[in-house]
Amino acid sequence: MSAASVRAPRGTHDVLPEQAPARAALESRARAILEPAGYERIETPAFEATELFARGVGESTDIVQKEMYTFLDGGGRSLSLRPEGTAPVCRAYLEHGMHKRPQPVRLWYLSSFFRYERAQAGRQRQFWQVGAEALGSDDPALDAELIALLARLLEEMGVAEVRLRLSSLGDPESRGAYRERLQRYLRSHEGELAPDVTARIDANPLRAFDSQHAGTMRVMEGAPRLLEELSAEDAEHFATVRQLLDAAEIPYEVDPTLVRGLDYYTRTVFEFTSEALGAQSGVGGGGRYDGLVQLLGGPPTPAIGFAAGVERILLASGATEHENAPCAPDLFLAIAGEQRRASAFALLQQARRAGLAAQMELAGRSLKRQLGHADRLGARYVAIVDHPQTVLKDMRDGSQTELEANMLVHAVLRGLRDLT
Ligand code: HAM
């Protein structure tokens, strides 16, 4: 009886060779858009101290309460697989003294993230995000820049039916005053709210705007709006962001009910959705987090960023799978007999060092079948490695030349060069 096969965990997926070209295209598109705009690539570890996310993302968020993969390592430290990239980037910014570089410091990443969520199409437990963060400036032009960059990436990737929603959450003071007013309002309607909304009135009343519960949605229609209670300074910041987006002709809708699932946001928040995605319509989002670096022990550092889901971009752009033709060899080394294996292997190393796409026989085929296999691979030349002579066969015209083994790589290079 054979053992039951082991499968990938629920909510994870393999990226197969036929899916790799679409991802590679997204990565090079992101690089081509972000790097000329001054963003430099960063990669942070796949796991961090749990405290980073508890402090940074927020103790009361779903992400920290229910969705983190948290474990103790061999030394008894609590670590968590990263559920998002903003808190790690802020940690790295501080840890490497990037606050001493010319500001803003602009960084981008394309990495995998982990959340224990209910898995379904477009919602995975391991997923990839392409993200950008700009730290050290509160200029509203930076808010508009990040929105414009993400809008362009989605457009160039062909993401269909995109909507951009925009709002401002103000500063912690105006949000504090607003929170209390919203809590009073929610308590006065407790009987009509979903139990999970009621349970979070104290910890996170703003999340009530996210609820899909019919009664809650009715109550929220009449709820006070934070956008109407911003301080003069925050209102002006938001108005400038809007002016800049208008000037750049980037369409958006102001949505005062927009709340995001992370606690660090201040001022501008935004979300791109695509109708092409169905239930999981959020394709990317972000906002300002002017207090986060300080919360992590650094100097006051205004900052803003976005992240977009790689799987969701590919889904919404209808990226198709490609028949991924493997790289055709310049040279295939066929072996005339088992005793020639070592010579063929040495020639393979020489050929690869010389820059040739080279392969050798690895499956114990007969010489005839080796030639058939090389043909199927689309090899340009086949060398039948024998002693004392090696035969080099040009697969285009069938011509054959006998030569010394040490002349083989040279002959192939010359043959390829003569063609161009
Ligand atoms: P987020 O909205 O939690 O923001 O995630 C950003 C994007 O990641 C979502 O719009 C979605 O496309 C994708 N995503 C999230 N969870 C999943 C999942 N379980 N499966 C597939 N895709 C998913 C953040 O993570 C913030 N760090 C964004 C940010 C950067 N804010 C400021 N800077």
Side-chain angles (χ1 to χ4, degrees), residues 84 86 115 117 122 124 129 133 260 264-265 282-284 305 309:
E84 63 99 51
T86 309
R115 294 183 194 175
E117 292 198 78
Q124 274 104 29
Q129 285 184 344
E133 315 285 350
R260 309 237 329 116
Y264 48 62
Y265 290 114
V283 66

Side-chain angles (χ1 to χ4, degrees), residues 63 83-86 109 115 117 122-129 132-133 260-262 264-265 271-272 282-289 304-312:
I63 292 181
E84 63 99 51
T86 309
Y109 48 87
R115 294 183 194 175
E117 292 198 78
R123 190 160 71 194
Q124 274 104 29
R125 292 179 177 169
Q126 177 180 2
F127 56 98
W128 292 70
Q129 285 184 344
E133 315 285 350
R260 309 237 329 116
L262 306 106
Y264 48 62
Y265 290 114
E271 207 155 86
F272 286 86
V283 66
R288 269 204 170 272
Y289 45 94
I304 175 158
F306 72 70
V310 165
E311 288 82 3
R312 291 192 194 173

Side-chain angles (χ1 to χ4, degrees), residues 50-113:
T50 301
E51 196 199 343
L52 174 68
F53 302 113
R55 261 209 260 172
V57 173
E59 291 277 11
S60 67
T61 59
D62 279 351
I63 292 181
V64 170
Q65 285 199 346
K66 306 191 240 171
E67 296 172 2
M68 285 215 294
Y69 284 89
T70 297
F71 56 96
L72 293 181
D73 74 0
R77 298 169 200 90
S78 179
L79 301 173
S80 294
L81 296 184
R82 57 185 171 193
E84 63 99 51
T86 309
V89 165
C90 290
R91 186 217 23 85
Y93 172 87
L94 271 177
E95 195 167 324
H96 302 286
M98 289 191 241
H99 54 289
K100 294 181 200 125
R101 297 187 190 183
Q103 307 291 302
V105 170
R106 293 173 160 111
L107 302 164
W108 78 281
Y109 48 87
L110 197 155
S111 316
S112 58
F113 297 91

